[in-house]
């Protein structure tokens, strides 16, 4: 219970009923006489007056009754045993409550003037001698009773007047209190209405649904003051998007039948932008025949709708990424034996048959292009293997300036600008080069007639709620800005989707921007595009700043180690027969012996049976026991045994970060180089990180 309600209940409890003016007043007469006959005679004489008669047999009994009861007249016998009339009268006059009650003495003995004077001195108003004359007694008592009743009526009227005054004061005080509570409630309600990002409305039930009330928050939401809506009945609907007007009308009309409505529409705000409004409400109950109204609430749902669309887009991209990663893995498995077989055929037949050499070269070139396509798919899916390190981005751009210039052509002016003393960015130099080159080539295609292409590098601070959806921090931003044809809003929204391209067939795969987007996300950075038709495009790549103080530019692949000078014994583990057979043939063609196993369990069984290969080559993605689990078990039981992991999938290959890897697809030269790096000149093998060195048996 609230304090105001509690006070109201207490006030109602304190209210007194008004004096009863309708009930006739009745007097009570006390007859004090020890003689039963005299008392009976007095009762008989006064009965016809219609008042209440009470008989007391002694002065003591009379005093006891006077303690709790009120009487209009007291008839008191003077001569009584024990306490006589004089003593009783004196005690009656001594009490404040009975000091003014009229006393009429009754006596049959004391008739002389001295006793009569004594009676009046004791407080009597009259003396009646016995035997009592009924008429005289009735007349005397009637006068005194009438005086008492008139006095009581005056008191009752006075009490009623006082009650009226008190009731008026109480009602006035309650009214003032109610008005104060009402003002406080209205102020509190107004504060709540102003603090909530919700617009409260009241509309007419009939078209055009004129606004009768709208909270002042509407100005924060729409840019228009509340008076604009209440002054012009047509104003609200006139700003609804043309495609949404009919839906809004139907929803409001339906409120009359269903008692409620809900709709969502676009509304043109004062800044000229459409915002999505969520409107819902109920039909108000009828009030004394007044026109029915619709009570509703209006909420700006633009941000929520955008978040929902972004979430849907993110889920779609994640689903496509997962699918792409799986497809890329399967493609790598298919390309590995194709590339290996073509490579071996080219080595054997290229010199003997020029025509075969050309066909094999074309096939290898196509396989290489397929490999690049798969790498882009993995880049979009964030499944590619990155060799992150601190990168001096200006130095990297300086090293690839000639490559960019030759790729974009002479009609485009290349401008490179960067801040001084930039911190090192965290990235993979090779993938970063490819991403920047992709952006430059896209810019070239958007400027068929040439123009300036600007690449800027700067350090930026990203705060909460940034457009790039990045965690607040410092970043190195690489911006590629062209002056080309630009993109409309629909094209811009889909630009980073995989396989989406506005170029004619054969001029692009639609994976360039999606690869850049995936690379940025995988590095913990971000990628944004801004563009307008006819005003060019700006691509911003945000790279996290490296904690390492020694930045390096792009790293080039090291020269392959020399091929081993003696045959090796190799255990090859792969569940895909086509990949296992093709890889085994490439290794055998290098002069090594190969034992094939179709899975991890079969490989461990061979080792337990006594096989001790020089190298174990295992695929990563295998059912039941994957390559990393197999490597862990081999390392626990045979810590000196070198392992090489081959993989076309990088979803979970971080379990053993120091394990040597060979990415699919690969040719004979790549696998020969990978095997060579596992050997040293003194014919001892290089173990896994942390393993003890043991000479081969």
């Amino acid at each position: 219970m609230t304090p105001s309600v509690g006070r109201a209940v207490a006030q109602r409890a304190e209210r007194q009923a008004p004096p009863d003016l309708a009930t006739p007043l009745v007097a009570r007469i006390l007859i004090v006489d020890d003689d039963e006959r005299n008392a009976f005679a007095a009762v008989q004489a006064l009965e016809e007056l219609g008042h209440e008669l009470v008989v007391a047999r002694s002065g003591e009994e009379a005093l006891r009754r006077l303690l709790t009861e009120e009487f209009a007249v007291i008839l008191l016998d003077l001569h009584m045993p024990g306490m006589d009339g004089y003593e009783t009268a004196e005690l009656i006059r001594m009490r404040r409550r009975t000091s003014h009650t009229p006393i009429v003495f009754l006596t049959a003995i004391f008739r002389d003037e001295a006793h009569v004077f004594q009676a009046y001195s004791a407080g009597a108003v009259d003396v009646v001698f016995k035997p009592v004359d009924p008429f005289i007694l009735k007349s005397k008592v009637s006068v005194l009773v009438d005086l008492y009743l008139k006095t009581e009526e005056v008191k009752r009227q006075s009490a009623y007047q006082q009650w009226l005054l008190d009731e008026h004061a109480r009602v006035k005080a309650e009214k003032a209190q109610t008005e104060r509570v009402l003002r406080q409630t209205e102020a509190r309600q107004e504060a709540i209405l102003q603090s909530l990002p919700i617009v409260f409305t009241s509309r007419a039930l009939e078209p055009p649904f004129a606004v009768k009330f709208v909270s002042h928050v509407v100005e924060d939401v729409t840019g228009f003051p509340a008076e604009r809506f209440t002054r012009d009945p047509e104003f609200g609907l006139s700003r609804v998007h043309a495609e949404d007007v009919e839906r809004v009308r139907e929803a409001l009309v339906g409120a009359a039948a269903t008692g409620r409505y809900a709709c969502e529409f676009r509304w043109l705000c004062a800044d000229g932008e459409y915002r999505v409004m969520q409107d819902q409400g109920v039909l108000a109950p009828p009030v004394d025949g007044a026109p029915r109204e619709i009570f509703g609430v209006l909420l700006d749902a633009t941000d929520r709708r955008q978040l929902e669309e972004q979430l849907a887009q993110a889920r779609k991209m994640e689903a496509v990424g997962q699918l792409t990663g799986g497809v890329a893995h399967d493609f790598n498995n298919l390309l590995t034996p194709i590339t290996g077989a073509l490579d071996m055929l080219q080595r054997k037949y290229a010199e003997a048959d020029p025509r075969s050499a050309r066909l094999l070269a074309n096939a290898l070139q196509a396989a290489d292009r397929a490999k690049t396509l798969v790498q882009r798919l993995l880049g979009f899916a964030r499944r590619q293997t990155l060799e992150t390190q601190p990168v001096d981005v200006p130095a990297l751009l300086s090293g690839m300036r000639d490559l960019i210039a030759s790729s974009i052509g002479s009609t485009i002016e290349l401008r490179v600008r960067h801040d001084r003393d930039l911190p090192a960015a965290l990235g993979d130099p090779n993938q970063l080069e490819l991403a920047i080159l992709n952006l430059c080539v896209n810019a070239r295609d958007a400027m068929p007639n040439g123009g300036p292409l600007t690449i800027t590098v700067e350090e930026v601070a990203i705060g909460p709620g940034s457009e790039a959806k990045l965690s607040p921090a410092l970043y190195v931003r690489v911006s590629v800005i062209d002056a080309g044809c630009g993109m409309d809003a629909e094209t811009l929204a889909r630009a980073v989707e995989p396989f989406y391209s506005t170029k004619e067939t054969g001029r692009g795969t639609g994976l360039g921007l999606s690869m850049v987007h995936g690379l940025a996300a995988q590095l913990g950075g971000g990628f944004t595009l801004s563009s307008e038709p006819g005003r060019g495009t700006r691509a911003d790549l945000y790279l996290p700043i490296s904690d390492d103080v020694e930045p390096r530019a792009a790293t080039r692949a090291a020269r392959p180690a020399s091929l081993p000078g003696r045959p090796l014994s190799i255990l090859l583990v792969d569940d895909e027969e086509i990949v296992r057979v093709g890889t085994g043939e490439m290794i055998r063609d290098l002069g090594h012996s190969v034992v094939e196993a179709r899975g991890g369990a079969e490989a461990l069984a061979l080792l337990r049976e006594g096989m001790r290969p020089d190298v174990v080559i295992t695929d990563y993605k295998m059912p039941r026991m994957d390559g990393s689990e197999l490597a862990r078990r081999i390392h626990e039981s045979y810590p000196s045994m070198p392992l090489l992991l081959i993989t076309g999938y990088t979803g979970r290959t971080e379990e053993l970060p120091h394990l040597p890897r060979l990415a699919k697809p690969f040719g004979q030269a790549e696998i020969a180089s990978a095997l060579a790096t596992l050997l040293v000149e003194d014919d001892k093998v290089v173990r896994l990180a942390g393993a003890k060195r043991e000479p081969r048996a």
Side-chain angles (χ1 to χ4, degrees):
M1 181 181 293
T2 62
S4 59
V5 174
R7 286 195 297 271
V9 172
Q11 289 174 354
R12 285 196 295 269
E14 293 172 0
R15 295 176 187 172
Q16 296 180 352
D20 185 7
L21 300 181
T23 304
L25 292 173
V26 177
R28 302 179 76 242
I29 301 171
L30 179 61
I31 302 171
V32 186
D33 201 316
D34 64 306
D35 191 326
E36 184 177 352
R37 291 170 300 174
N38 292 333
F40 179 76
V43 169
Q44 291 294 320
L46 300 177
E47 267 185 342
E48 63 181 79
L49 293 178
H51 302 299
E52 183 179 353
L53 303 176
V54 179
V55 177
R57 301 300 182 187
S58 64
E60 290 86 348
E61 184 181 352
L63 291 175
R64 283 196 300 272
R65 284 186 170 274
L66 287 170
L67 288 174
T68 58
E69 302 175 50
E70 184 176 356
F71 296 94
V73 179
I74 301 174
L75 302 181
L76 181 60
D77 185 23
L78 279 177
H79 186 66
M80 292 184 297
M83 184 183 295
D84 61 12
Y86 294 118
E87 188 176 357
T88 302
E90 184 178 358
L91 291 174
I92 290 173
R93 289 288 178 257
M94 289 176 63
R95 290 185 69 247
R96 183 175 179 180
R97 185 165 172 268
T98 58
S99 60
H100 297 292
T101 303
I103 299 175
V104 177
F105 280 129
L106 301 176
T107 182
I109 301 174
F110 305 114
R111 293 175 174 268
D112 55 279
E113 292 183 359
H115 283 90
V116 171
F117 180 77
Q118 184 180 357
Y120 284 118
S121 299
V125 297
D126 205 346
V127 178
V128 177
F129 298 104
K130 298 178 181 179
V132 175
D133 185 338
F135 178 78
I136 294 175
L137 181 61
K138 183 172 62 175
S139 299
K140 290 180 179 292
V141 170
S142 178
V143 171
L144 294 174
V145 167
D146 287 345
L147 179 61
Y148 169 79
L149 292 177
K150 285 182 173 55
T151 302
E152 289 300 310
E153 181 63 26
V154 170
K155 290 180 180 179
R156 191 163 71 168
Q157 291 292 337
S158 176
Y160 182 73
Q161 293 296 326
Q162 185 61 46
W163 178 85
L164 289 177
L165 292 174
D166 293 343
E167 189 68 9
H168 176 73
R170 182 189 61 77
V171 170
K172 185 176 180 181
E174 283 188 359
K175 179 182 177 183
Q177 175 65 18
T178 302
E179 289 175 349
R180 284 194 298 271
V181 172
L182 179 60
R183 286 193 298 270
Q184 292 174 356
T185 302
E186 289 176 346
R188 189 180 300 112
Q189 181 181 7
E190 183 64 23
I192 293 173
L193 292 179
Q194 292 295 336
S195 64
L196 293 175
I198 301 174
V199 179
F200 293 87
T201 63
S202 170
R203 295 188 182 98
L205 184 59
E206 302 297 331
F209 312 104
V211 176
K212 296 185 175 182
F213 165 80
V214 61
S215 58
H216 291 288
V217 182
V218 73
E219 186 168 1
D220 298 333
V221 175
T222 67
F224 292 102
E227 295 77 14
R228 185 70 181 276
F229 292 85
T230 55
R231 187 173 63 245
D232 183 359
E234 302 279 354
F235 181 70
L237 280 178
S238 69
R239 309 284 293 189
V240 176
H241 195 283
E243 297 176 1
D244 302 337
V245 171
E246 192 58 33
R247 185 171 68 254
V248 175
R249 288 182 182 274
E250 290 176 358
L252 293 174
V253 169
T258 63
R260 63 186 66 251
Y261 76 96
C263 58
E264 198 169 87
F265 53 87
R266 290 162 289 177
W267 204 86
L268 185 59
C269 296
D271 59 3
E273 297 289 334
Y274 278 100
R275 298 192 69 80
V276 179
M277 301 295 176
Q278 183 179 346
D279 191 4
Q280 60 185 27
V282 297
L283 182 63
V287 179
D288 298 333
R292 300 290 294 275
E293 296 181 43
I294 303 174
F295 293 159
V297 292
L298 192 69
L299 179 67
D300 185 352
T302 306
D303 294 340
R304 177 182 60 79
R305 173 59 66 86
Q306 290 176 349
L307 288 174
E308 289 175 351
E309 292 176 353
Q310 291 172 2
L311 178 60
Q313 178 71 4
R315 286 175 174 171
K316 180 177 73 173
M317 299 294 279
E318 179 65 22
V320 174
Q322 291 177 356
L323 174 63
T324 303
V327 171
H329 169 262
D330 293 337
F331 265 90
N332 279 333
N333 278 343
L334 294 173
L335 285 172
T336 297
I338 293 173
T339 303
L342 291 172
D343 190 23
M344 288 192 296
L345 289 173
Q346 187 184 47
R347 290 175 183 273
K348 290 186 177 182
Y349 301 110
E351 295 182 1
D353 186 355
R355 183 172 179 271
S356 297
R358 287 195 302 271
L359 292 175
L360 289 170
N362 289 338
L364 281 170
Q365 185 179 5
D368 190 59
R369 290 180 63 182
K371 177 180 178 181
T372 302
L373 178 62
V374 171
Q375 289 301 317
R376 290 190 176 187
L377 286 171
L378 289 172
F380 159 72
R382 308 178 198 177
R383 301 288 197 274
Q384 61 185 334
T385 302
L386 297 180
E387 297 180 2
T388 56
Q389 61 184 54
V391 179
D392 183 343
V393 180
L396 182 142
L397 283 172
S398 176
M400 62 181 298
R401 186 176 185 122
D402 292 340
L403 175 61
I404 296 174
S406 63
S407 299
I408 61 178
S410 59
T411 60
I412 295 177
E413 179 189 356
L414 178 62
R415 304 170 182 172
V416 180
R417 301 169 183 165
H418 58 81
D419 293 344
R420 293 180 178 273
D421 301 323
L422 280 172
L426 182 65
D428 182 320
N430 295 322
Q431 295 297 331
L432 189 55
E433 280 187 352
L434 182 60
I436 295 173
L437 186 60
N438 265 319
L439 295 177
C440 292
V441 170
N442 277 352
R444 176 203 66 190
D445 294 341
M447 296 187 292
N449 298 323
L453 173 61
T454 305
I455 303 176
T456 64
V457 187
E458 56 191 338
E459 182 182 8
V460 294
I462 298 297
S466 69
E467 181 184 355
K469 303 296 185 294
L470 293 170
S471 301
L474 294 174
Y475 293 85
V476 173
R477 182 172 65 190
V478 182
S479 303
V480 178
I481 308 165
D482 66 56
C485 57
M487 294 179 281
D488 57 25
E490 182 179 356
T491 303
L492 184 63
R494 301 187 58 191
V496 297
E497 291 184 9
F499 308 112
Y500 178 76
S501 177
T502 58
K503 302 173 184 178
E504 60 269 20
T505 304
R507 291 205 58 192
T509 61
L511 287 171
L513 292 178
S514 61
M515 183 274 290
V516 177
H517 180 270
L519 173 65
Q522 196 171 356
L523 289 172
F527 180 63
T528 61
L529 286 172
S530 57
S531 183
E532 291 183 23
R535 302 190 64 177
T537 300
R538 176 186 179 116
D540 290 318
L541 176 60
Y542 294 85
L543 301 172
I545 291 178
S546 173
D547 294 330
D548 197 329
V549 296
E550 294 294 335
R552 300 190 297 274
T555 58
R556 304 299 176 187
R559 254 173 55 181
S562 300
L563 294 178
R566 62 176 181 80
L568 299 176
S569 172
I570 295 176
L571 175 59
L572 176 62
V573 189
D574 199 313
D575 65 302
E576 290 279 351
E577 183 177 1
I578 188 173
V579 179
R580 186 178 67 250
V581 170
T583 305
E585 288 302 318
M586 282 191 285
I587 298 174
R588 291 187 183 97
D589 192 61
L590 292 171
H592 308 301
S593 63
V594 179
V595 176
E596 298 179 12
R598 289 169 295 182
E602 186 175 334
L604 291 176
L606 290 171
L607 293 174
R608 283 195 295 268
E609 291 171 0
M611 181 183 179
R612 292 296 180 268
D614 293 310
V615 179
V616 176
I617 301 177
T618 177
D619 185 29
Y620 167 71
K621 191 175 182 183
M622 296 186 296
R624 290 181 292 277
M625 184 188 301
D626 63 19
S628 63
E629 176 65 15
L630 175 61
R632 186 184 64 79
R633 293 194 183 187
I634 292 175
H635 181 61
E636 289 176 353
S637 302
Y638 314 100
S640 63
M641 188 171 293
L643 294 103
L644 175 65
L645 185 71
I646 56 174
T647 177
Y649 176 80
T650 59
R652 289 193 316 111
T653 60
E654 296 81 9
E655 293 88 342
L656 296 172
H658 301 292
L659 190 67
R661 290 172 173 80
L662 177 61
K664 297 178 183 178
F666 49 81
Q668 194 174 38
E670 286 86 357
I671 196 167
S673 177
L675 289 171
T677 57
L678 296 177
L679 304 177
V680 293
E681 291 181 358
D682 61 357
D683 203 30
K684 291 185 175 60
V685 295
V686 179
R687 311 300 187 264
L688 288 172
K692 297 179 180 179
R693 295 194 176 193
E694 297 177 3
R696 282 200 317 273

